[in-house]
Amino acid sequence: MSMKVIVGTQWGDEGKGKIVDLLAADADVVARYNGGPNAGHTVVIDGQELVLHLIPCGILREQVTCVIGNGVVVDPIALQGEVVSLKQRGVKVEGRLWVSDRAHLILPHHLRYEEAKEQGAGDSAIGTTRRGIGPAYADKMERIGLRAGEVCHPELVRAKLQQLTAQKNRLLRAVLAAPEVPQGALEDYLGALQAMAPKVADTTSLLHEALAQGKRIVAEGAQGTLLDIDHGTYPFVTSSSCVSGGASTGLGLPPQAITSVVGVMKAYTTRVGNGPLPTEFAGPQGQVLRDIGREYGATTGRPRRCGWLDLVVVGYAVRVNGISELAITKLDVLDGLESIAICTAYEIDGERTSHFPADIVRLGRAKPVYTTLPGWRRPISGTKQYRDLPAEAQRYVEFIESHVGAEVRIVSVGPGRDQTIFR
């Protein structure tokens, strides 16, 4: 048996979708363990781009069974739209996709509440995707949420949904001065919920049976380490456990089931939303990199903030997640640069440190300490073997390895499946 956990080592958007798709070629099960439709996992096959938000990327491999785990918050309407889109592309979904009966549901008022709250926060806004993720997790912790397994009691679900919506409508109206959720939205939601019902299952038992049968599982994480609710740049984080430990709680599997952790890192640094980003470009260089790398959110379309690679961040992620191997994506975006800077430490209030601070105020004062390496100044997207990469590109990869304590096993030099180097 084996279970690989795939985690993001930065602020999300590292290219986990492509890596999961590649590793799914040798997998039996791919299971999402956190987040919700705020994820945008992009896979490019034969030049066609497909963005998945809830459904694991393993759905694109015919032999794979896909699981949406209990740690995920599920929007039935978003899920239904994704299923329809996949079927239109000729992808078989029925009998291959299962939703945990313990997964909590995103309800219509969650989206309305989050949008109103973000709009009213002004400069203090977190910068969420406004997909209702945070409010759904908040209700889960407050123990007033609705779980997928309850779909077997449709009348009770209808009554509970109406009760919760009435409570939240009073809050929307009286406190946030926001529009209420109309009755029509509830009917559409209930329709999507019934469409989802045949896919709801005891996925914890399914996964344990898979392990007992010696099957290979890939646990697909969403977002990134620095967006983790506990270990990220709080409060500018998401509301779930993005780190490798979240795979255990988000799927119902014991920690000893994890046989390896693959950390996915972009060859530079990006993030969407607010919060400190120590290596962020201050001038036009950020826009240049944004355009070359197509750095716009797969879920929201928002422009991503860009900066040099930050090895303080990646090293922190390696330690927190127990990363055993790394996958570097978008190395080709750095083609043509005469020199490339890499942050290896911070200077905060006159002191140098290689540790990532929890204090958001101190992080905001962090000045990157850079090492500059020569660029390779030629395209690498057609390279098939690591030894054929320019010496400068190899040095860049090996410099990363030497500073973070994990080996780079996968190097992505373009969006396509075949634009990947395995070491």
Side-chain angles (χ1 to χ4, degrees):
M1 75 174 187
S2 69
M3 184 167 89
K4 283 182 180 286
V5 179
I6 315 303
V7 297
T9 64
Q10 296 154 307
W11 279 274
D13 309 313
E14 299 97 348
K16 295 183 294 298
K18 174 181 176 175
I19 303 305
V20 171
D21 171 66
L22 290 170
L23 296 177
D26 297 318
D28 300 298
V29 180
V30 176
R32 262 284 298 279
Y33 65 82
N34 77 300
N38 54 342
H41 292 176
T42 304
V43 180
V44 178
I45 303 173
D46 298 329
Q48 288 193 324
E49 185 176 275
L50 178 65
V51 181
L52 295 167
H53 302 280
L54 275 167
I55 298 176
C57 295
I59 200 71
L60 303 176
R61 302 285 186 174
E62 292 181 359
Q63 85 285 359
V64 171
T65 296
C66 289
V67 167
I68 297 175
N70 59 274
V72 180
V73 286
V74 181
D75 182 338
I77 292 177
L79 180 63
Q80 185 180 37
E82 214 164 306
V83 169
V84 169
S85 177
L86 284 168
K87 288 181 177 179
Q88 289 173 345
R89 290 175 178 252
V91 178
K92 182 185 175 184
V93 177
E94 303 306 326
R96 295 182 56 217
L97 174 66
W98 304 102
V99 179
S100 171
D101 52 6
R102 294 175 171 87
H104 277 252
L105 301 177
I106 296 173
L107 307 178
H109 61 257
H110 290 143
L111 287 85
R112 188 67 60 88
Y113 176 79
E114 185 170 38
E115 183 176 8
K117 191 175 179 183
E118 281 284 283
Q119 285 178 342
D123 293 339
S124 300
I126 291 170
T128 72
T129 57
R130 304 187 182 190
R131 296 295 191 272
I133 310 298
Y137 278 115
D139 279 2
K140 174 180 178 177
M141 294 305 177
E142 199 175 345
R143 294 165 292 182
I144 58 170
L146 187 64
R147 300 208 297 183
E150 295 179 63
V151 294
C152 63
H153 309 293
E155 292 308 314
L156 289 177
V157 168
R158 175 181 287 274
K160 188 172 181 179
L161 180 61
Q162 290 176 334
Q163 178 188 21
L164 289 170
T165 302
Q167 292 172 355
K168 297 295 182 179
N169 272 345
R170 288 195 292 272
L171 178 65
L172 285 166
R173 181 178 63 251
V175 178
L176 297 173
E180 297 182 0
V181 177
Q183 182 63 34
L186 298 188
E187 296 304 321
D188 292 342
Y189 184 88
L190 288 165
L193 203 57
Q194 288 309 304
M196 185 187 79
K199 298 177 179 63
V200 176
D202 178 1
T203 59
T204 300
S205 293
L206 183 156
L207 291 169
H208 277 270
E209 289 169 9
L211 285 175
Q213 293 166 9
K215 292 186 176 180
R216 296 158 297 182
I217 298 175
V218 171
E220 178 178 350
Q223 290 82 48
T225 301
L226 275 296
L227 290 177
D228 183 270
I229 186 66
D230 291 300
H231 303 287
T233 47
Y234 189 90
F236 301 101
V237 293
T238 191
S239 300
S240 64
S241 295
C242 311
V243 296
S244 59
S248 290
T249 56
L251 296 175
L253 294 173
Q256 61 265 35
I258 300 172
T259 51
S260 63
V261 180
V262 180
V264 184
M265 58 170 289
K266 198 175 289 184
Y268 47 96
T269 303
T270 66
R271 79 167 296 171
V272 174
N274 299 328
L277 186 63
T279 64
E280 185 172 12
F281 294 127
Q285 192 168 13
Q287 186 60 50
V288 172
L289 198 64
R290 184 178 300 119
D291 291 339
I292 295 172
R294 298 176 62 197
E295 295 296 347
Y296 297 88
T299 299
T300 64
R302 291 182 297 174
R304 295 175 184 144
R305 300 156 61 192
C306 299
W308 293 121
L309 179 61
D310 189 335
L311 293 187
V312 178
V313 165
V314 177
Y316 171 71
V318 167
R319 295 189 296 274
V320 169
N321 293 287
I323 289 170
S324 47
E325 55 190 280
L326 287 167
I328 295 181
T329 63
K330 292 197 169 183
L331 188 64
D332 56 299
V333 174
L334 303 180
D335 291 354
L337 294 181
E338 186 171 345
S339 60
I340 304 169
I342 305 178
C343 172
T344 57
Y346 297 152
E347 190 174 281
I348 305 175
D349 300 331
E351 294 185 6
R352 183 170 294 196
T353 181
S354 58
H355 294 287
F356 191 80
D359 185 343
I360 203 78
V361 176
R362 291 188 73 238
L363 182 62
R365 294 202 296 265
K367 297 178 181 179
V369 177
Y370 288 115
T371 295
T372 301
L373 299 179
W376 41 96
R377 304 192 71 183
R378 64 183 175 93
I380 61 172
S381 58
T383 307
K384 302 300 181 183
Q385 300 291 331
Y386 182 76
R387 63 175 178 269
D388 295 329
L389 283 172
E392 296 85 355
Q394 293 185 42
R395 182 181 175 189
Y396 189 76
V397 170
E398 289 156 18
F399 184 91
I400 293 167
E401 288 180 320
S402 67
H403 277 74
V404 302
E407 293 184 359
V408 174
R409 298 287 180 83
I410 300 173
V411 180
S412 174
V413 293
R417 281 175 170 172
D418 60 341
Q419 293 177 298
T420 310
I421 298 169
F422 292 90
R423 294 177 72 197

